[in-house]
Amino acid sequence: MSGRLTLVGTPIGNLSDITPRAVEALRGCDFIAAEDTRVTSHLLSHLDIRKPLVSYYEHNKRQRGEVICARLLAGENAVLVTDAGMPAISDPGEELVAQCHEKGIPVGVVPGPSAVVTAIAVAGLPSGRFTFEGFLSMNRRSRREHLASLREERRTMVFYEAPHKLASTLEDLLEALGDRRIALVRELTKVHEEVINTTLAAAANRYREETARGEFVLVIEGACPAEQPAAEPGEAVQIAAGYMEEGLSASEAAKRAAAETGLKKGDIYRLLMDRDGSEETEEERSNG
């Protein structure tokens, strides 16, 4: 019988955010696959846990993934962690999870802190619908294409960014998206945690001069809905005439056409009567 891979969410800053289930999973596994074994060693030392560590990161993920899967198929149980937050989210662990599913290896999860949802919760921007965009590519062409695809995105957008790239990223965001509201969420759950509510233009101007410090999550306002062009009066009359053919009175037909087009009911009604060369009776109007 094969073993099991368990994804374990780890603190994004404050080590006290580790959950009892996460500690139990770390204590109970045979080995831990970690993005940076030095970071994970610090966490394990804090928890007084000693387990074998296997490095698993972007540049060795395919080869090392096969090794990990072989051990799991042999019956060992492993935990996968990232440096901070949930593994497999904007993280090379995504591929290990896919490999396990391909090989029929059970995958479980112990949820924990997530910089994405934590940042959007404190940003003060619409949070009912949002899109997580991760890190922007360092490749200029890919970066431009990514940002161009988001110009009309109406959901709140969430990005990760490192401090040394923040200034250039803000410039690129401003150029691609135009000026709009942004929350720069810095050093989440750490001593210097900060939420900077501003605009893209103001943020870009600030970090042209100021050196950014700490890891950032950028929460950016979605695009405003494009204004719909007003319907032509003739179009509204055609809509109303269609309703009349279905048996509605002219008054009710004009009312429905007004709701659909944004034009005034009275204007549609008058045009409708002019077109038909008739007047609706008071009884018909009241029935409408």
Side-chain angles (χ1 to χ4, degrees):
M1 179 181 292
S2 72
R4 178 185 182 90
L5 177 70
T6 302
L7 314 182
V8 172
T10 54
I12 57 177
N14 192 319
L15 296 184
S16 296
D17 290 337
I18 192 78
T19 68
R21 279 193 66 213
V23 174
E24 181 182 358
L26 290 167
R27 290 191 191 282
C29 68
D30 294 303
F31 68 97
I32 299 168
E35 182 180 11
D36 186 328
T37 56
R38 295 166 299 180
V39 172
T40 302
S41 291
H42 176 66
L43 174 64
L44 296 178
S45 177
H46 173 76
L47 299 172
D48 195 25
I49 295 174
R50 292 171 180 80
K51 289 290 175 179
L53 292 172
V54 174
S55 66
Y56 179 89
Y57 56 92
E58 183 64 31
H59 300 296
N60 75 353
K61 62 184 181 182
R62 173 49 62 174
Q63 178 271 334
R64 192 57 56 86
E66 292 295 336
V67 173
I68 291 170
C69 286
R71 294 180 65 174
L72 292 169
L73 288 169
E76 293 187 81
N77 293 304
V79 158
L80 173 68
V81 296
T82 187
D83 288 350
M86 283 300 300
I89 305 297
S90 191
D91 173 77
E94 173 186 2
E95 187 159 330
L96 179 59
V97 173
Q99 284 178 279
C100 286
H101 285 306
E102 289 170 3
K103 298 176 185 297
I105 299 169
V107 179
V109 63
V110 177
S114 166
V116 179
V117 295
T118 305
I120 202 164
V122 299
L125 290 171
S127 58
R129 298 180 67 209
F130 62 89
T131 172
F132 174 54
E133 299 297 325
F135 287 98
L136 287 168
S137 173
M138 292 290 288
N139 179 279
R140 294 300 300 175
R141 180 178 178 180
S142 297
R143 191 180 182 90
R144 283 195 301 269
E145 290 175 352
H146 186 170
L147 290 175
S149 73
L150 296 173
R151 285 196 184 105
E152 305 304 320
E153 175 58 67
R154 291 170 58 178
R155 294 170 294 181
T156 299
M157 294 167 282
V158 185
F159 297 84
Y160 285 159
E161 195 49 280
H164 66 280
K165 295 191 295 181
L166 179 67
S168 62
T169 292
L170 290 171
E171 298 283 0
D172 290 344
L173 287 166
L174 178 60
E175 179 182 353
L177 306 178
D179 198 18
R180 59 179 73 179
R181 291 186 295 166
I182 180 174
L184 296 94
V185 185
R186 187 177 75 88
E187 292 290 86
L188 273 169
T189 76
K190 300 176 184 176
V191 174
H192 299 293
E193 177 181 289
E194 182 179 21
V195 180
I196 305 167
N197 291 104
T198 183
T199 65
L200 272 171
N205 184 62
R206 171 174 175 170
Y207 286 102
R208 287 188 194 110
E209 306 297 331
E210 182 180 323
T211 300
R213 291 182 173 83
E215 298 299 319
F216 284 80
V217 182
L218 309 179
V219 185
I220 304 174
E221 181 179 36
C224 294
E227 289 189 9
Q228 297 296 320
E232 294 292 330
E235 180 186 351
V237 170
Q238 289 180 344
I239 293 172
Y243 283 127
M244 288 183 68
E245 290 174 2
E246 294 175 9
L248 296 182
S249 67
S251 178
E252 179 62 24
K255 179 179 178 181
R256 293 199 182 185
E260 291 183 26
T261 63
L263 298 179
K264 292 182 179 179
K265 172 190 170 183
D267 293 340
I268 298 172
Y269 178 81
R270 281 191 294 274
L271 289 169
L272 193 59
M273 292 299 96
D274 290 344
R275 191 195 73 154
D276 293 342
S278 62
E279 284 289 343
E280 188 177 32
T281 67
E282 185 65 34
E283 182 181 358
E284 289 172 325
R285 190 177 299 114
S286 62
N287 288 339

